[in-house]
Amino acid sequence: MSVGRRRGMSLETKYVELCKGINGLDKIVLREVRGCSAEVYLYGGHVTSWKNEHGEELLFVSSKAIFNPPKTIRGGIPICFPQFSNLGSLEPHGFARARFWTIDNDPPPFPINSSNKAFIDLILKHSEEDVKIWPHRYEFRLRITLGPGGDLMLTSRIRNTNTDGKSFTFTFAYHTYFHVTDISEVRVEGLETLDYLDNLKNRERFTEQGDAIVFESEVDKVYLSTPTKIAILDHERKRTFELRKDGLPDAVVWNPWDKKAKTIPDLGDDEYKHMLCVEAACVENPITLKPGEEWRGRQELSAVPSSYCSGQLDPQRAFLSDKFGLA
């Protein structure tokens, strides 16, 4: 079934389609004219696929991923809310990624490029079950947009709808799993000289020393006060992922490497070689909202030939980011 073919569309591209995914779970497929696509499961509000115009998958999803609620899906872009990792009393990474979201047919207006046609608005609200473990009322609106050039944009808006006058506090992350050819041939630029918390050393604080981050063992770090742009260079594929973010000051970098991978039941023993998590996040300083207040956090992902990177960003893409206020 098509969800609202956008008005005035002369081409036969079905920009937004609701269909059944693995195990009969509802999913939305976003498509653009050039052939790029994205898939979003209503379970978890979870992006599980992002492909370029050549049909190449840009996100990693484990071959052992379990699409069977209440299990969470290993890979893609899990939404971590209202708790990142184990930094609180809730289940690790919170409950939003293990809830069924609904399509929001009447979202508030977004101050964003209205020429995008491939997008979906989802909403998650508190349930009586959730209130027992996290005693707050909220509305979480998520817009997922596939741009004409294949960029993938996620915008989260979280509002405190408590009626008892109470504020609430949360941490957040887009737990993005990038698909890489060989983790030992990948480097991350944009986090040099920054402070980070090392989760492998009891969250002790260190300062990054290298020119760029490379991978030769397990990594689990929260970089602090990070720039709005981070680049992930896949040398084997000659591809660079660009991550742009707004409202998310931290960046988590994670790869389990071989020993940890063997302990993760829904991850293949050797799959760590083909994944890297770089996560736009708000971890060090949690967000507090009073009743009626709203927080917004946004990330934009693009994949370009590596020649564009190391300061040589595509000027048109830079212009679009200026337009969105992310440059």
Side-chain angles (χ1 to χ4, degrees):
M1 180 179 99
S2 175
V3 180
R5 281 199 182 186
R6 308 300 180 196
R7 281 182 212 159
M9 200 175 78
S10 58
L11 297 169
E12 283 305 302
T13 301
K14 195 179 285 186
Y15 290 108
V16 184
E17 184 178 11
L18 176 63
C19 54
K20 295 294 182 184
I22 298 170
N23 290 336
L25 294 171
D26 287 328
K27 73 174 180 181
I28 294 113
V29 181
L30 305 176
R31 295 186 185 89
E32 259 299 341
V33 177
R34 293 184 191 175
C36 45
S37 66
E39 296 186 4
V40 187
Y41 276 74
L42 289 184
Y43 178 62
H46 197 133
V47 178
T48 57
S49 175
W50 171 41
K51 293 180 179 178
N52 64 16
E53 65 270 27
H54 307 297
E56 297 169 331
E57 183 58 67
L58 303 172
L59 296 178
F60 169 86
V61 173
S62 170
S63 64
K64 293 186 172 184
I66 300 166
F67 289 75
N68 189 14
K71 297 284 188 181
T72 56
I73 300 166
R74 171 73 61 189
I77 310 180
I79 301 286
C80 302
F81 170 84
Q83 174 185 300
F84 176 77
S85 187
N86 57 0
L87 304 177
S89 59
L90 300 175
E91 61 196 273
H93 292 325
F95 49 71
R97 65 189 184 134
R99 296 293 181 270
F100 284 93
W101 296 55
T102 56
I103 294 172
D104 187 1
N105 291 313
D106 190 27
F110 274 72
I112 206 161
N113 187 346
S114 60
S115 67
N116 291 322
K117 299 180 177 67
F119 65 87
I120 192 73
D121 289 294
L122 304 181
I123 188 167
L124 181 69
K125 296 183 181 181
H126 61 273
S127 68
E128 293 312 310
E129 287 302 306
D130 291 341
V131 168
K132 291 175 185 174
I133 58 171
W134 196 63
H136 302 291
R137 298 174 182 273
Y138 66 90
E139 288 181 353
F140 186 151
R141 286 186 159 87
L142 174 65
R143 172 170 286 195
I144 301 160
T145 303
L146 184 67
D151 294 6
L152 183 65
M153 292 158 272
L154 286 81
T155 304
S156 291
R157 301 196 292 184
I158 297 169
R159 180 177 292 276
N160 181 338
T161 57
N162 276 336
T163 54
D164 58 5
K166 290 184 179 176
S167 300
F168 64 64
T169 298
F170 64 93
T171 48
F172 180 93
Y174 293 115
H175 197 313
T176 306
Y177 287 72
F178 292 97
H179 181 273
V180 298
T181 315
D182 178 355
I183 186 63
S184 63
E185 296 291 329
V186 171
R187 79 174 195 263
V188 177
E189 294 184 351
L191 304 176
E192 308 82 39
T193 74
L194 297 182
D195 284 0
Y196 64 86
L197 307 177
D198 193 334
N199 289 323
L200 302 179
K201 297 179 179 176
N202 296 314
R203 293 173 52 79
E204 193 176 338
R205 192 176 184 122
F206 297 91
T207 301
E208 185 60 53
Q209 301 297 330
D211 292 336
I213 300 165
V214 294
F215 301 90
E216 28 195 48
S217 60
E218 182 182 356
V219 174
D220 189 355
K221 298 175 179 178
V222 181
Y223 288 85
L224 310 173
S225 302
T226 59
T228 57
K229 291 184 232 180
I230 301 168
I232 300 108
L233 285 72
D234 182 342
H235 291 295
E236 290 276 313
R237 190 64 58 120
K238 295 185 170 57
R239 173 187 292 145
T240 295
F241 295 105
E242 297 169 5
L243 185 158
R244 290 178 170 81
K245 58 191 179 63
D246 188 40
L248 296 159
D250 304 322
V252 181
V253 178
W254 179 65
N255 183 287
W257 219 252
D258 54 350
K259 288 181 183 175
K260 177 69 69 66
K262 287 181 171 64
T263 70
I264 301 173
D266 56 351
L267 184 68
D269 287 356
D270 290 328
E271 287 189 314
Y272 74 91
K273 296 175 182 176
H274 308 298
M275 58 155 278
L276 177 63
C277 290
V278 180
E279 312 165 31
C282 190
V283 176
E284 186 190 28
N285 296 309
I287 299 141
T288 298
L289 293 179
K290 297 175 183 173
E293 286 186 336
E294 182 180 90
W295 170 85
R296 181 176 303 195
R298 183 170 176 274
Q299 81 167 11
E300 176 183 349
L301 306 178
S302 54
V304 299
S306 287
S307 58
Y308 280 149
C309 204
S310 301
Q312 303 296 314
L313 296 180
D314 179 357
Q316 176 64 15
R317 198 176 299 282
F319 165 76
L320 288 171
S321 286
D322 285 341
K323 197 171 173 184
F324 293 148
L326 284 181

